[in-house]
Amino acid sequence: MKVLAAVLALFLVAIQAQLWVGRGSIPHVTQLREELRKAQADNDQARARNAQLQAELRDLREGLEMVEEKARFELGMIKSDEVFVPVARAAAASAAASR
């Protein structure tokens, strides 16, 4: 009877050890939950970026307004009948600050 009690106690200790330090332990599950939360946040950011790119692609396919906007802001293009007036904001800010 004492041997059976000792074997059962040993099994109980083994099960508890697995719970606290093994693969399905509480710290391991907490770590997996944190990794899952981070992966979901990364996926949400990727979905938002994909939605933005799809909207931009749709605009590029449907009309010329988006193409014109990109040409103006990214390439500095102007129309043939427009006058380009550069504005120096840094110089204007420093001149206003010195007064």
Side-chain angles (χ1 to χ4, degrees):
M1 196 62 155
K2 291 182 182 182
V3 173
L4 181 63
V7 169
L8 290 176
L10 187 62
F11 281 137
L12 181 63
V13 169
I15 291 172
Q16 284 294 317
Q18 182 70 22
L19 176 66
W20 291 102
V21 294
R23 184 172 178 190
S25 67
I26 294 171
H28 185 253
V29 170
T30 303
Q31 177 189 4
L32 290 176
R33 285 185 180 158
E34 180 63 27
E35 289 175 12
L36 177 64
R37 185 199 59 76
K38 185 179 181 308
Q40 287 173 339
D42 291 343
N43 285 343
D44 290 341
Q45 287 178 346
R47 282 188 192 102
R49 178 73 177 137
N50 285 344
Q52 179 184 7
L53 289 173
Q54 285 177 347
E56 188 174 320
L57 181 63
R58 191 177 327 112
D59 287 345
L60 286 171
R61 285 182 179 166
E62 291 177 359
L64 294 177
E65 293 86 17
M66 186 67 170
V67 174
E68 183 179 340
E69 179 181 341
K70 282 198 162 292
R72 287 177 178 274
F73 288 111
E74 294 179 7
L75 302 175
M77 297 183 132
I78 57 173
K79 291 182 180 179
S80 60
D81 60 344
E82 290 181 332
V83 177
F84 178 70
V85 180
V87 177
R89 292 184 180 171
S94 63
S98 65
R99 290 184 193 175

